[in-house]
Amino acid sequence: MSEYKTFSADEAMAFADKHSELFGDHSKLTAKEFGDGNLNLVFRVENDKGTSLIVKQALPYARCVGESWPLTTDRARIEAEVLKMHHRFCPGHTVEVRYFDPVACAILMEDLKAYRILRTELNAGKKFNHLAPQMAKYLANTLFYTSDFVLSSEHKKAEVARFLNPELCLITEDLFFTDPYCNHERNNIEPAILEKAKTLWHDEALKAEVAALKADFLSKPQALLHGDLHSGSIFIDEENCKVIDAEFGFYGPIGFDVGSLLGNLLLNYIACPGLHQAEDAAEQQAYLLQQAEQLWQHFSQTFTELMSRETQDPALDNSLYQRRFLQQVFSDAIGYAGCELIRRTVGLAHVADLDSISDAGKRADCQRLALKLGRELIMQRGELSNISQLQTLVRYQHTS
Ligand code: SR1
Ligand code: MG
């Protein structure tokens, strides 16, 4: 019986060749490992005509830390199954999985080599008007069609069980909701903002709200989430965007996926003065706030239409309840966006938006603003009733 073994480039090539009709003459194949993510091996397998596929293999540990942080390889199954499910409900904006091998814990998938990573593009000051409408479509469809509005009670419970993903959820539970609010050794805090970061550890009002958000993350299985929808999990070109990297997927609160993306738009907004000249920064910030607005408007409009047209459970087919449901998703999303701002500034896993700001003084200013805005979002999430109030809150934040 075969067993798990980490792929070499040649083994990844043989795997891709065996499970795809795409390549034809396999003697002309090449393979290269180019992954720079936190967890996995990623190979591009290509023939001499430029046809290529990606082989992604889960390592038995977290790549960014090393073998001292063991991690289940079952995350490859979760990732393949979430991507397949999301592709079913939003094929235009989800990467296509071609084959999954449960022994090698490896996924063969579409290569998006003509696309670029959204975070890199935003950091370079690029603007894409299709980003928000397309991601709203992805979010509304994948989350609605895996929710109680559509699935029978029995089927939904079986799906919740199939996607439990306890080890990867624990990472999010720790990194999002616990570490930033205490003196944890995993935290990564720049000395210039240490005093500001320490205020989080003793902010009982804030910690109570973060506890409520964590409790929902632990116990609100509303839909099959992507679970890690930051701007490094989105590939984009001039016309389209596609979501990758769903290994953190599980049944959780809908606002978590919406809020993770919203939070990443806001992180980039905050970093703009450190990344660009003043005039370009102002333009990029206006673009990002407009995308944040469109993301919520398109998402809520599509989700509302789906609820009114496609709800299967007669008890949930009530427009008053549906409006209340969406308002709660809005408030959850703002809270999770706030947590994303904070954990990406002082936690283990930072983002290049802030870290790549070369001027140390500006970088510290942006980081302080991320902590301040993150706190406001978490604290005020219940009082904000629409997206323009959120825009106003963001525009009037200044470090103090
Ligand atoms: C150890 S994993 C750190 C982070 O990388 C992933 O992309 C998730 O965002 C996770 O929190
Ligand atoms: Mg990832």
Side-chain angles (χ1 to χ4, degrees):
M1 197 178 106
S2 55
E3 50 186 48
Y4 175 88
K5 183 179 164 299
T6 304
F7 279 162
S8 64
D10 281 351
E11 286 161 338
M13 193 165 77
F15 173 79
D17 193 27
K18 182 170 172 196
H19 298 293
S20 171
E21 302 297 309
L22 206 65
F23 290 126
D25 183 357
H26 51 245
S27 63
K28 309 254 174 64
L29 294 183
T30 57
K32 191 169 187 276
E33 207 283 322
F34 69 105
D36 61 356
N38 286 327
L39 302 177
N40 307 293
L41 291 177
V42 184
F43 301 89
R44 167 168 289 131
V45 182
E46 194 163 17
N47 69 11
D48 59 345
K49 296 186 182 70
T51 302
S52 57
L53 287 171
I54 294 295
V55 174
K56 177 170 176 177
Q57 187 183 38
L59 290 166
Y61 53 86
R63 182 178 186 165
C64 63
V65 175
E67 294 185 30
S68 62
W69 188 341
L71 204 55
T72 175
T73 49
D74 185 49
R75 65 186 190 273
R77 171 189 67 85
I78 298 274
E79 169 159 12
E81 296 299 320
V82 173
L83 288 174
K84 281 197 244 170
M85 193 64 85
H86 283 190
H87 191 268
R88 182 171 153 203
F89 298 123
C90 195
H93 305 305
T94 312
V95 69
E96 191 184 351
V97 169
R98 300 280 171 82
Y99 181 78
F100 169 63
D101 183 326
V103 176
C105 305
I107 305 171
L108 184 64
M109 66 179 106
E110 169 189 13
D111 186 2
L112 300 171
K113 71 177 168 194
Y115 289 62
R116 276 118 29 215
I117 293 170
L118 175 64
R119 189 182 306 288
T120 315
E121 297 301 291
L122 292 181
N123 287 348
K126 302 274 176 55
K127 302 176 184 62
F128 304 90
N129 289 328
H130 55 287
L131 171 63
Q134 292 186 358
M135 289 312 300
K137 181 177 176 187
Y138 166 82
L139 286 164
N141 281 279
T142 58
L143 297 170
F144 177 77
Y145 284 108
T146 57
S147 75
D148 290 307
F149 290 106
V150 178
L151 303 186
S152 71
S153 168
E154 228 183 344
H155 185 191
K156 163 86 182 312
K157 285 172 181 65
E159 289 295 89
V160 171
R162 190 158 76 98
F163 289 104
L164 275 184
N165 208 359
E167 280 192 41
L168 279 280
C169 281
L170 181 61
I171 293 178
T172 306
E173 289 151 22
D174 288 341
L175 299 192
F176 255 80
F177 306 111
T178 304
D179 296 1
Y181 306 95
C182 64
N183 185 14
H184 200 283
E185 62 185 7
R186 272 188 302 244
N187 285 337
N188 173 7
I189 306 170
E190 289 212 31
I193 63 155
L194 183 58
E195 287 314 307
K196 175 85 180 160
K198 277 184 181 174
T199 63
L200 300 171
W201 308 346
H202 309 289
D203 187 339
E204 293 307 318
L206 175 65
K207 286 163 72 171
E209 297 306 321
V210 173
L213 288 160
K214 181 171 187 175
D216 275 1
F217 184 87
L218 291 165
S219 60
K220 198 150 112 177
Q222 289 179 326
L224 180 59
L225 307 187
H226 175 279
D228 195 23
L229 197 57
H230 57 80
S231 39
S233 298
I234 299 169
F235 271 83
I236 195 156
D237 71 5
E238 298 313 320
E239 282 159 17
N240 197 25
C241 49
K242 289 200 183 197
V243 171
I244 59 160
D245 252 11
E247 65 214 311
F248 284 81
F250 78 115
Y251 265 80
I254 287 174
F256 186 78
D257 268 3
V258 181
S260 294
L261 183 51
L262 204 52
N264 276 267
L265 294 177
L266 294 177
L267 276 164
N268 198 261
Y269 174 97
I270 290 166
C272 277
L275 293 172
H276 316 292
Q277 296 299 324
E279 206 174 304
D280 295 340
E283 255 186 42
Q284 188 70 5
Q285 286 190 316
Y287 160 75
L288 289 160
L289 274 199
Q290 178 228 25
Q291 290 296 297
E293 180 193 19
Q294 282 189 22
L295 180 72
W296 177 256
Q297 299 294 27
H298 285 258
F299 169 79
S300 58
Q301 196 183 335
T302 308
F303 205 91
T304 300
E305 282 164 15
L306 289 170
M307 284 191 294
S308 76
R309 211 179 58 220
E310 307 263 344
T311 296
Q312 303 297 310
D313 183 331
L316 302 185
D317 196 10
N318 174 296
S319 59
L320 270 183
Y321 164 72
Q322 291 175 357
R323 218 173 303 149
R324 203 187 309 156
F325 180 90
L326 208 53
Q327 193 58 40
Q328 186 61 52
V329 170
F330 180 65
S331 142
D332 291 352
I334 293 174
Y336 291 123
C339 294
E340 177 73 350
L341 260 55
I342 291 176
R343 73 113 174 185
R344 294 297 191 181
T345 307
V346 296
L348 171 78
H350 283 208
V351 286
D353 312 42
L354 292 171
D355 281 13
S356 68
I357 299 172
S358 51
D359 180 305
K362 282 189 185 168
R363 190 169 64 247
D365 284 345
C366 294
Q367 289 179 330
R368 279 189 211 98
L369 188 55
L371 296 183
K372 183 160 187 278
L373 179 58
R375 184 183 193 281
E376 292 306 314
L377 296 181
I378 293 168
M379 298 305 289
Q380 295 192 40
R381 70 190 189 285
E383 277 102 70
L384 300 177
S385 45
N386 58 55
I387 192 74
S388 43
Q389 290 178 354
L390 173 74
Q391 288 178 304
T392 308
L393 177 74
V394 174
R395 276 195 197 102
Y396 293 100
Q397 286 298 309
H398 298 281
T399 40
S400 50

